[in-house]
Amino acid sequence: MPDFDLVIRNARAVTASDLFDCDIGVKDGRIVQLGQGLAAGAREIDAAGRHVTPGGVDAHCHLDQPEPPPIRMADGFDSGTRSAACGGTTTVIPFALQQKGQSLRDAVADYHRRADGQAHVDYAFHLIVSDPTPTVLGEELPALIREGYTSFKIYMTYDSLKLDDGQILDVLAVAREHGAMAMVHAENAECIEWLSRRLEAAGRTAPRYHAHARPMLVEREATHRAIALSELVDVPILIVHVSGQEAVEQIRWARAHGLHVFAETCPQYLFLTAEDLGIDDSYEGARCVCSPPPRGRENQQVIWRGLADGLFTIFSSDHAPYRFEGGEGKHPGGEERPFRHIPNGIPGLETRMALLWSEGVMAGRITPNKFVELTATNPAKAYGLHPRKGSLSVGADADLVVWDEREFVLRNTMLHHDVDYTPYEGMHLSAWPAVTLSRGEVVWDGAAFRGTRGAGRFLRCGQPTLLPRRRG
Ligand code: DUC
Ligand code: ZN
Ligand code: ZN
């Protein structure tokens, strides 16, 4: 009987702190030994000097969220987690979204129905709290936190989701009392509404005006306000999808004042600019309509610097998948619509890891350790999944990526989502996963998807471990 179900030989193992050569022994889906010259495994993969990292934890993605007809998200848990696996992501944390008037418990039950038996890799849920009634604040949210839904997103914009400042304070107080992580979408709703109406009145409705309706000022103001609200309640927050300089400055200010403000950014703020929404009134730019919008090119350097120097805690995709063609996505009802009515979001689950390994690690902008920290270890810690997830260590789940460092041109035809485009079409990349393992099983072999629908398990999250525990 072999000692291991699987041995990965000759790995250049990368963790958030170390880089070392070893064999990795796997049994019953977990890493059970790291060492040199391990005994035989029932299966063996020769990594021959290749980097091996923990599988990615994509802590911000939207799958199968209900939308007002005719809009429909292109990816559910089947295609979304298939594409995650092929891109080296082995844990996803999408959102269970509470509609206004809906109980939070019903929202969670609905998302479980959507995910049950569909996923190829493991998944947890963040909550989206859009209706913080006394029952939600006093009963449902505390109970759900205890049951393993330990993070929730709050929106400062979008009419159907946004909370006012008093509601945000109420929700943050629950996060403080019960040890949850509050994620904040920081954009000023009133400013966006005012600007959008003026743009529309002037006939400026092409996709590129989406960026004019959401300038960096609206993100800066809301980021500042979110920081102040969290300071008032004395609770950590995590600002999601930070897009550029002005929000970064607010977060640096908060950190310098000793506040526990964490930050996430996404590939669109490294690789897209406002020009991708269009330089004229063409509708092509609808593909890249997302919020906050991509900014001017100089902001890309600001985001790279923040990734390298520790300003950012997490690198997520904010995968929000809508097809460009047809009437269910970027052309609602089959038509070109004013920017306000274009569904917000771009696909990115499958490309997140390779974009950062290729343009971050291989291009010398960040270390391999920083890559692991941003894409796997920190998201697992922030959302209470560490060290089972996001870790290449004895006892962790054998969620691993063996990297293939070779040049190629990215095409949407290579991807496994159900979206008909990638915003990164034609990019020259120099890395892609050669193998992805989910709990020791090959789900991507470098050429084909090898997963099994339903093999992905639901994960209950513990308390965030990015900070030391509070006493009492
Ligand atoms: N912005 C969000 O806040 N969520 C989904 C996609 C987007 O662009
Ligand atoms: Zn958001
Ligand atoms: Zn989002």
Side-chain angles (χ1 to χ4, degrees):
M1 236 331 235
D3 291 13
F4 305 105
D5 300 331
L6 169 71
V7 173
I8 303 173
R9 298 252 171 235
N10 308 311
R12 296 229 72 199
V14 190
T15 72
S17 59
D18 297 305
L19 204 159
F20 49 94
D21 295 325
C22 71
D23 300 337
I24 302 170
V26 174
K27 198 163 178 59
D28 299 329
R30 300 219 171 191
I31 298 171
V32 292
Q33 199 169 343
L34 299 173
Q36 280 163 352
L38 292 194
R43 285 179 302 152
E44 302 233 342
I45 293 173
D46 188 3
R50 286 182 169 176
H51 289 104
V52 178
T53 64
V57 177
D58 196 335
H60 186 159
C61 53
H62 303 263
L63 296 175
D64 202 12
Q65 263 176 219
E67 301 276 359
I71 312 290
R72 196 180 67 87
M73 276 201 167
D75 286 317
F77 286 80
D78 179 1
S79 62
T81 59
R82 177 180 70 208
S83 89
C86 298
T89 286
T90 49
T91 303
V92 297
I93 318 183
F95 297 89
L97 182 154
Q98 178 202 26
Q99 314 274 1
K100 284 199 200 290
Q102 187 186 27
S103 106
L104 209 44
R105 276 227 175 264
D106 283 353
V108 170
D110 178 36
Y111 276 82
H112 275 291
R113 276 192 295 275
R114 292 166 187 271
D116 267 356
Q118 299 296 313
H120 302 277
V121 300
D122 293 349
Y123 61 97
F125 288 126
H126 305 294
L127 308 172
I128 290 176
V129 181
S130 70
D131 199 359
T133 60
T135 310
V136 166
L137 294 169
E139 296 169 28
E140 290 193 319
L141 191 48
L144 286 165
I145 293 168
R146 280 193 297 276
E147 290 167 30
Y149 307 84
T150 58
S151 50
F152 49 80
K153 185 173 177 191
I154 50 186
Y155 283 83
M156 299 172 84
T157 188
Y158 295 132
D159 286 346
S160 60
L161 299 172
K162 71 181 181 205
L163 305 187
D164 65 30
D165 290 358
Q167 291 173 315
I168 293 173
L169 289 168
D170 282 341
V171 173
L172 291 180
V174 176
R176 177 185 157 86
E177 190 180 346
H178 298 277
M181 178 62 86
M183 311 158 75
V184 183
H185 179 129
E187 288 185 296
N188 180 309
E190 300 284 324
C191 292
I192 294 169
E193 176 60 27
W194 187 81
L195 286 165
S196 298
R197 272 195 270 111
R198 286 173 74 96
L199 287 161
E200 269 178 357
R204 297 181 171 177
T205 59
R208 67 178 163 135
Y209 292 109
H210 175 75
H212 295 229
R214 308 175 101 98
M216 221 182 327
L217 176 157
V218 310
E219 186 182 353
R220 183 230 301 163
E221 186 283 328
T223 303
H224 180 91
R225 190 157 33 101
I227 290 167
L229 298 177
S230 78
E231 183 180 1
L232 191 58
V233 177
D234 184 23
V235 67
I237 52 168
L238 192 145
I239 311 279
V240 293
H241 44 51
V242 172
S243 71
Q245 169 88 21
E246 295 184 30
V248 163
E249 283 168 358
Q250 297 301 315
I251 295 159
R252 287 204 193 279
W253 178 90
R255 294 270 184 86
H257 285 75
L259 302 177
H260 294 307
V261 175
F262 300 105
E264 171 205 81
T265 194
C266 314
Q268 47 270 39
Y269 308 116
L270 293 175
F271 303 110
L272 303 180
T273 69
E275 289 196 355
D276 289 299
L277 299 180
I279 47 174
D280 56 22
D281 284 354
S282 144
Y283 201 73
E284 298 298 308
R287 290 183 179 82
C288 295
V289 165
C290 62
S291 295
R295 307 295 185 187
R297 188 167 302 279
E298 62 288 359
N299 289 281
Q300 295 180 341
Q301 297 318 314
V302 173
I303 300 295
W304 276 118
R305 205 173 314 125
L307 288 169
D309 73 13
L311 186 273
F312 289 110
T313 314
I314 294 182
F315 187 72
S316 305
S317 69
D318 198 6
H319 180 83
Y322 302 97
R323 293 175 70 83
F324 185 68
E325 303 294 350
E328 297 181 335
K330 297 288 186 175
H331 288 80
E335 291 177 4
E336 297 188 355
R337 293 296 175 102
F339 68 84
R340 265 226 241 206
H341 305 289
I342 300 171
N344 280 207
I346 61 173
L349 251 175
E350 191 165 351
T351 44
R352 173 186 73 120
M353 297 280 280
L355 284 169
L356 195 65
W357 188 271
S358 173
E359 302 311 297
V361 178
M362 305 272 299
R365 292 182 170 109
I366 59 169
T367 64
N369 309 107
K370 181 56 85 177
F371 170 90
V372 170
E373 185 186 309
L374 288 162
T375 58
T377 310
N378 276 351
K381 287 181 176 175
Y383 303 120
L385 293 171
H386 190 265
R388 178 170 172 195
K389 299 296 185 186
S391 175
L392 199 168
S393 63
V394 171
D397 281 355
D399 292 351
L400 297 164
V401 180
V402 181
W403 284 92
D404 183 8
E405 292 168 359
R406 69 180 159 87
E407 310 232 322
F408 70 100
V409 178
L410 181 66
R411 300 284 175 211
N412 193 57
T413 50
M414 300 170 179
L415 302 180
H416 299 79
H417 55 196
D418 272 347
V419 187
D420 54 358
Y421 74 97
T422 168
Y424 312 109
E425 182 76 27
M427 254 183 93
H428 290 249
L429 295 185
S430 40
W432 194 264
V435 180
T436 309
L437 295 162
S438 170
R439 280 186 274 103
E441 297 297 328
V442 173
V443 288
W444 164 249
D445 68 5
F449 171 62
R450 298 279 175 218
T452 309
R453 190 144 61 99
R457 293 184 191 153
F458 170 66
L459 303 164
R460 291 184 191 280
C461 296
Q463 292 209 332
T465 56
L466 278 175
L467 290 172
R469 276 187 102 107
R470 272 176 201 267
R471 214 188 272 265

